[in-house]
């Protein structure tokens, strides 16, 4: 062995014969399988048919068309809702898209009403259509395709006020979506020194990076307390293992698990003494709350682990970084608000301060709260996050029932159906596959080959507030 071991290692690899150098590279892929819904989400519309009038119409047409039943039973509904069995007597509500073609021609016979049973997520901006989207993604693992035209609003509060720029569609990255090239969604979590120092023998003499990688820029956050159970936590941990990501698990349960690299124990301050019971070394520990002395003590106790800190998003993050914190999990509420401000604006401000302080590359930022749709992931990364933690979207994918007033889903009554482990894991894996594919679509459209380059790339995004300010500032009626 020479004086520079890493050089010797590279040389020995270069000298390997063809059989010895067979690559063990395996392209990352999330295996999806159908995982049907346990029960259907209520349809968008109620179709109310006045049957006695429809029967009268059928009898009249029976005479008019001389008993030609295919003609008598046909109706002008291309979706098969009001042209279903018996000429519309048993309409297929689940297929109705609300085109109102039937109501226009037969206003005295059929009416279309919004379904009052459809519901979104209480206290969040997740409406029933978005719930439908998540259920489809969890059921199939595919990207939702809506066909001709988007019928929703083109702006709004929160994440809807950000528009991603997809004007740089270029062939290599478009090929990446379809498998001929590769777009990386690998995300590194950990702390990095500002530079590496080497001694005379070529060994690193100063601080070394303490980093590991996950294959997707999202992980499963600890579930809401109302549904937290051993069964659910085993589901999130298994799903995280299958997609090579992470699952945050409360320490008391994590301590009883066998060695699980995908599990991130969430440790409260009163549980510090019990850390001695950990019989395996986690890749990452997540501490609830910030206390410098506690942080340093646990870093010393687990030198091989990445120690992260979970704090409200409104915390003075630059000050924490100056005090030594390097991996931070910022938590907003379920409406994507932090201290009365939009979570994206808070992230962007923190990111820019860290850039100005010259420490952004040394820090990992994870965020959660109000990130419930696939498009929220790249938008949050554009604002400055390295990865996001998912809390409510997995619950929707598992068809949890949310009941309760107010704008705090954490306080609402949440009830999960009886969980079949295999079904529940597959639902979360399918959801992850769909979200990753949608992330690849955005990266490909932007001409980016890896998600790490998206962090803080505000040039890839347009902000509705800024565009409106440029267009309307100074005009009477503009409220800013």
């Amino acid at each position: 062995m020479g004086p520079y071991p890493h050089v010797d290692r590279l040389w020995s690899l270069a000298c390997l014969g063809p059989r010895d150098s067979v690559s063990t590279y395996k392209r990352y892929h999330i295996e999806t399988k159908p995982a049907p819904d346990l029960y259907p989400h209520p349809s968008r519309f109620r179709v109310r048919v006045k049957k006695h009038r429809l029967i009268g119409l059928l009898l009249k047409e029976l005479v008019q068309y001389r008993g030609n039943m295919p003609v008598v039973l046909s109706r002008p509904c291309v979706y098969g809702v009001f042209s279903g069995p018996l000429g519309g007597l048993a309409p297929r509500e689940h297929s109705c898209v609300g085109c109102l073609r039937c109501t226009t021609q037969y206003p005295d016979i059929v009416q279309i009403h919004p379904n009052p049973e459809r519901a979104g997520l209480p206290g969040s901006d997740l409406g029933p259509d978005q719930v439908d989207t998540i259920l489809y993604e969890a059921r199939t693992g595919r990207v939702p395709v809506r066909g001709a035209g988007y019928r929703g609003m083109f702006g709004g509060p929160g994440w809807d006020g950000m528009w991603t720029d997809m004007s740089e569609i270029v062939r290599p990255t478009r090929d990446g979506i379809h498998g001929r090239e590769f777009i990386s969604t690998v995300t590194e979590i950990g702390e990095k020194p500002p530079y590496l120092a080497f001694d005379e023998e070529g060994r690193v003499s100063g601080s070394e990076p303490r980093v590991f990688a996950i294959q997707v820029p999202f992980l499963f956050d600890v579930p809401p307390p109302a549904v937290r159970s051993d069964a659910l936590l085993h589901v999130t941990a298994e799903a995280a293992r299958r997609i090579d990501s992470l699952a945050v698990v409360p320490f008391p349960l994590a301590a009883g698990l066998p060695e699980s690299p995908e599990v991130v124990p969430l440790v409260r301050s009163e549980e510090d003494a019990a850390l001695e019971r950990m019989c395996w070394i986690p890749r990452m520990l997540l501490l609830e709350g910030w206390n410098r002395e506690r942080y340093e003590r646990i870093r010393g106790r687990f030198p091989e682990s990445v120690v992260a800190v979970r704090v409200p998003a409104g915390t003075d993050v630059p000050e924490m970084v100056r005090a030594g914190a390097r991996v931070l999990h910022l938590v907003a509420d379920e409406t994507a608000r932090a201290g009365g401000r939009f979570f994206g604006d808070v992230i962007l401000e923190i990111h820019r301060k860290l850039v100005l302080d010259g420490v952004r590359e040394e820090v990992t930022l994870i965020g959660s709260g109000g990130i419930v749709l696939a498009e929220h992931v790249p938008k949050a990364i554009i604002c400055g996050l390295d990865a996001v933690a998912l809390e409510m979207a997995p619950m929707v994918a598992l068809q949890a029932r949310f009941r309760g007033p107010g704008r705090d889903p954490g306080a609402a009554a949440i009830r999960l159906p009886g969980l079949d482990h295999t079904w529940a894991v597959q639902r979360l894996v399918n959801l992850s596959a769909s979200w990753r594919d949608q992330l690849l679509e955005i990266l490909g459209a932007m001409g980016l080959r890896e998600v790490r380059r998206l962090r803080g790339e505000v040039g890839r995004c347009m902000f509705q507030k800024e565009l409106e300010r440029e267009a309307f500032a100074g005009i009477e009626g503009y409220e800013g």
Side-chain angles (χ1 to χ4, degrees):
M1 185 69 71
Y4 301 101
H6 59 289
V7 175
D8 293 340
R9 174 62 178 162
L10 292 174
W11 177 250
S12 63
L13 288 175
C15 293
L16 289 175
R19 291 185 60 184
D20 300 322
S21 60
V22 173
S23 172
T24 56
Y25 170 75
K26 185 177 180 181
R27 187 167 183 155
Y28 179 70
H29 174 70
I30 299 178
E31 191 69 32
T32 61
K33 294 179 182 176
D37 294 341
L38 293 179
Y39 45 82
H41 194 228
S43 59
R44 294 173 62 193
F45 300 102
R46 287 275 178 80
V47 182
R48 292 289 177 257
V49 177
K50 295 179 179 176
K51 294 184 178 179
H52 64 286
R53 292 189 179 182
L54 178 57
I55 292 173
L57 175 67
L58 290 173
L59 294 175
K60 179 182 175 183
E61 291 184 342
L62 193 62
V63 175
Q64 181 180 354
Y65 295 110
R66 300 178 181 179
N68 189 339
M69 293 305 291
V71 174
V72 171
L73 297 180
S74 66
R75 290 288 170 265
C77 180
V78 297
Y79 301 100
V81 179
F82 186 51
S83 58
L86 301 177
L89 284 174
R92 302 183 180 98
E93 290 183 336
H94 62 276
S95 299
C96 183
V97 300
C99 70
L100 304 182
R101 175 69 174 83
C102 55
T103 301
T104 302
Q105 185 161 348
Y106 303 104
D108 298 331
I109 295 177
V110 59
Q111 291 291 320
I112 307 296
H113 302 283
N115 189 347
E117 293 185 3
R118 275 174 70 81
L121 188 64
S124 77
D125 297 325
L126 199 66
D129 290 343
Q130 287 76 34
V131 170
D132 270 344
T133 298
I134 293 176
L135 293 179
Y136 175 83
E137 294 164 342
R139 186 168 63 242
T140 66
R142 301 169 61 184
V143 176
V145 178
R146 300 204 181 278
Y150 171 68
R151 291 170 290 181
M153 297 176 64
F154 285 90
W159 302 113
D160 291 338
M162 295 176 61
W163 305 328
T164 50
D165 179 6
M166 300 190 180
S167 61
E168 297 188 29
I169 297 175
V170 291
R171 180 174 167 274
T173 48
R174 291 300 299 173
D175 286 351
I177 298 169
H178 303 293
R180 294 184 291 272
E181 300 273 347
F182 186 72
I183 299 176
S184 173
T185 54
V186 169
T187 301
E188 292 178 340
I189 294 179
E191 56 185 80
K192 303 172 187 174
Y195 54 85
L196 292 177
F198 297 90
D199 60 17
E200 295 179 351
E201 297 182 348
R203 291 189 294 261
V204 177
S205 59
S207 300
E208 296 185 27
R210 192 184 294 192
V211 174
F212 64 89
I214 56 176
Q215 291 292 333
V216 287
F218 48 81
L219 50 105
F220 298 111
D221 202 355
V222 63
V227 292
R228 204 172 294 170
S229 66
D230 289 0
L232 177 59
L233 294 168
H234 278 95
V235 165
T236 58
E238 174 62 15
R241 187 191 66 79
R242 285 179 52 180
I243 66 171
D244 195 1
S245 182
L246 301 170
V248 181
V249 175
F251 169 73
L253 175 65
L257 294 174
E259 184 169 354
S260 309
E262 68 278 1
V263 169
V264 178
L266 174 63
V267 186
R268 296 177 296 176
S269 57
E270 58 268 28
E271 295 167 341
D272 287 357
L275 276 172
E276 300 299 328
R277 289 194 285 115
M278 282 290 294
C279 54
W280 52 280
I281 299 175
R283 278 198 297 179
M284 176 170 156
L285 273 167
L286 184 57
L287 306 183
E288 186 78 63
W290 167 244
N291 179 289
R292 182 174 182 177
E293 182 184 349
R294 179 192 179 211
Y295 173 76
E296 295 294 345
R297 185 177 68 252
I298 293 180
R299 280 189 87 226
R301 168 69 178 80
F302 293 91
E304 299 176 12
S305 301
V306 170
V307 179
V309 182
R310 181 185 177 103
V311 293
T315 306
D316 187 353
V317 171
E319 178 58 33
M320 289 178 59
V321 172
R322 284 191 286 273
R326 285 295 181 269
V327 183
L328 297 108
H329 180 180
L330 309 177
V331 182
D333 67 19
E334 289 307 322
T335 62
R337 310 288 294 179
R341 302 170 60 199
F342 170 48
F343 189 28
D345 293 337
V346 175
I347 300 168
L348 197 54
E349 182 179 289
I350 293 171
H351 171 78
R352 286 172 172 165
K353 285 182 179 177
L354 295 178
V355 170
L356 290 174
D357 290 346
V359 294
R360 182 63 187 92
E361 295 301 325
E362 304 174 37
V363 176
T364 299
L365 294 180
I366 303 169
S368 64
I371 301 172
V372 289
L373 292 174
E375 61 263 32
H376 295 173
V377 175
K379 290 178 179 178
I381 294 173
I382 287 173
C383 288
L385 290 182
D386 294 279
V388 303
L390 309 178
E391 182 188 21
M392 301 310 293
M395 299 302 103
V396 176
L398 297 177
Q399 295 198 278
R401 297 291 185 96
F402 298 83
R403 300 181 185 279
R407 292 188 59 78
D408 182 8
I414 308 177
R415 184 168 55 86
L416 279 171
L419 287 182
D420 175 81
H421 181 80
T422 303
W423 173 86
V425 170
Q426 191 61 54
R427 297 276 290 192
L428 298 188
V429 170
N430 287 350
L431 182 73
S432 304
S434 176
W435 283 29
R436 181 176 182 267
D437 284 347
Q438 292 174 73
L439 180 61
L440 292 179
E441 289 281 349
I442 287 187
L443 293 174
M446 292 178 174
L448 295 177
R449 284 179 179 269
E450 57 178 336
V451 72
R452 287 176 293 193
R453 295 191 177 191
L454 187 63
R455 188 192 67 189
E457 275 281 344
V458 291
R460 305 282 185 179
C461 185
M462 294 173 285
F463 295 85
Q464 183 183 358
K465 287 189 303 184
E466 294 180 1
L467 295 177
E468 289 181 345
R469 189 182 305 119
E470 292 174 5
F472 306 120
I475 298 177
E476 185 178 357
Y478 174 65
E479 298 178 352

